[in-house]
Amino acid sequence: MKKNSLLETMDIIIISVIVIQFVMFMLNYETKLVITIFSALQFVSLIIYFIYSVKLRAGFETIVNQESEFFNKQFKEIKYNFDRLSYDVTEYFDRQRDITDIQNIFSNSRMAYRKRFSLDNNQTLGFDLILITNKGIFIFDFFEAVFVLKGNYQNDIIKIQYSKNNEIEVFNPLSKLHPVYQTLKQTLNIEDNDMIKRMLILDDDSLVTGLETLDQNQGITKNIDITSKLRQLIDQSMVKLTVTEIEKYKEILDKKIAG
């Protein structure tokens, strides 16, 4: 704002001088030839200077505008990354509260969160949350997106509808053929099919159909209903693990986890 005022003041001064010189030129035109010629040269010089100053000002404003646009873009990018970071941090603490609430339901439990299994051929397999508890071993999968989940949950393939006319088929996380389930079962040498429980946790705005096809070892819940739905799954469980058994399974699991 101050720069623009300064430029406008300079323009007024230059224009005033040009007008004065023009008046002097007209008054002296017929009487004093030397003064007339000198005034004419001054007048032309001032015109040239005025044109140059206008171009200089235009160039200066272009540079300022370009710099403003550049820094505005930089600020928007920084603000976007900052907002993204804020969202990630908030999401992290929200998830930590969910996990704490889940663990508090059990009298004894050991946790592995966002880890990876070491597989053969230097491959790894990621999972969200595994809890070894007094009521069994629980596999949790968290889904953050909003969609409609539908299908028969005893099948290996279910459907996700993410828009009015678009749906995709995905491998059922609750299936006994799912790689995480199979790896956990083999790693811990589990023979009892009721030992491992599986639960999907969805965004509160998601929808689910086919809940009647779930068995006693499967659960689907929204974030808001985690505690109540998990208690239903626990109440159906006949498993009773001792602290010694929980520690033994956790020790074996830790050896299988990459890193």
Side-chain angles (χ1 to χ4, degrees), residues 116-119 123-125 127 130 180 183-184 253 256 258:
R116 302 189 71 85
F117 287 126
S118 295
L119 305 178
Q123 299 296 313
T124 62
L125 175 65
F127 60 85
I130 293 176
V180 173
T183 301
L184 187 62
L253 183 63
K256 184 67 174 179

Side-chain angles (χ1 to χ4, degrees), residues 29-58:
Y29 179 70
E30 295 182 355
T31 57
K32 297 180 180 179
L33 182 60
V34 175
I35 296 176
T36 300
I37 294 172
F38 181 74
S39 298
L41 291 174
Q42 282 186 316
F43 179 72
V44 172
S45 298
L46 286 170
I47 290 292
I48 293 172
Y49 176 75
F50 177 69
I51 294 172
Y52 175 76
S53 68
V54 170
K55 290 183 177 180
L56 184 64
R57 174 181 176 177

Side-chain angles (χ1 to χ4, degrees), residues 9-204:
T9 302
M10 290 176 60
D11 291 343
I12 292 172
I13 293 173
I14 293 171
I15 292 172
S16 299
V17 173
I18 291 173
V19 171
I20 293 171
Q21 288 297 317
F22 180 74
V23 172
M24 290 176 61
F25 174 76
M26 296 299 297
L27 291 175
N28 295 305
Y29 179 70
E30 295 182 355
T31 57
K32 297 180 180 179
L33 182 60
V34 175
I35 296 176
T36 300
I37 294 172
F38 181 74
S39 298
L41 291 174
Q42 282 186 316
F43 179 72
V44 172
S45 298
L46 286 170
I47 290 292
I48 293 172
Y49 176 75
F50 177 69
I51 294 172
Y52 175 76
S53 68
V54 170
K55 290 183 177 180
L56 184 64
R57 174 181 176 177
F60 176 75
E61 290 180 343
T62 299
I63 292 172
V64 170
N65 290 336
Q66 288 175 346
E67 287 181 347
S68 297
E69 184 178 349
F70 171 78
F71 285 112
N72 284 338
K73 288 178 66 177
Q74 291 294 305
F75 178 74
K76 287 180 181 178
E77 183 175 349
I78 291 170
K79 184 175 182 294
Y80 171 80
N81 290 334
F82 183 78
D83 289 344
R84 182 69 249 176
L85 176 62
S86 299
Y87 175 78
D88 289 342
V89 170
T90 301
E91 182 182 82
Y92 171 79
F93 284 113
D94 286 344
R95 184 60 65 221
Q96 292 300 310
R97 284 193 291 269
D98 289 340
I99 294 170
T100 300
D101 291 341
I102 290 171
Q103 275 196 291
N104 287 340
I105 295 175
F106 302 97
S107 58
N108 287 293
S109 67
R110 298 294 181 270
M111 177 183 72
Y113 176 59
R114 290 284 173 90
K115 302 291 186 179
R116 302 189 71 85
F117 287 126
S118 295
L119 305 178
D120 297 333
N121 302 320
N122 295 322
Q123 299 296 313
T124 62
L125 175 65
F127 60 85
D128 285 344
L129 174 64
I130 293 176
L131 275 182
I132 304 174
T133 79
N134 56 305
K135 297 299 291 182
I137 301 169
F138 290 76
I139 302 173
F140 294 87
D141 285 282
F142 297 95
F143 286 81
E144 307 296 343
V146 177
F147 49 73
V148 179
L149 187 67
K150 51 189 177 181
N152 183 331
Y153 300 104
Q154 301 311 309
N155 296 336
D156 298 324
I157 301 296
I158 56 176
K159 294 182 179 180
I160 288 178
Q161 184 176 354
Y162 56 90
S163 67
K164 183 177 180 180
N165 299 314
N166 295 282
E167 65 179 23
I168 57 174
E169 292 185 339
V170 297
F171 197 10
N172 179 12
L174 302 179
S175 168
K176 291 181 179 180
L177 295 181
H178 193 278
V180 173
Y181 177 92
Q182 287 293 318
T183 301
L184 187 62
K185 184 178 180 180
Q186 293 171 10
T187 299
L188 301 181
N189 194 25
I190 302 295
E191 297 181 356
D192 182 359
N193 289 329
D194 293 328
M195 178 70 74
I196 300 178
K197 321 291 182 180
R198 290 146 292 154
M199 175 165 279
L200 304 185
I201 300 177
L202 309 180
D203 186 274
D204 289 337

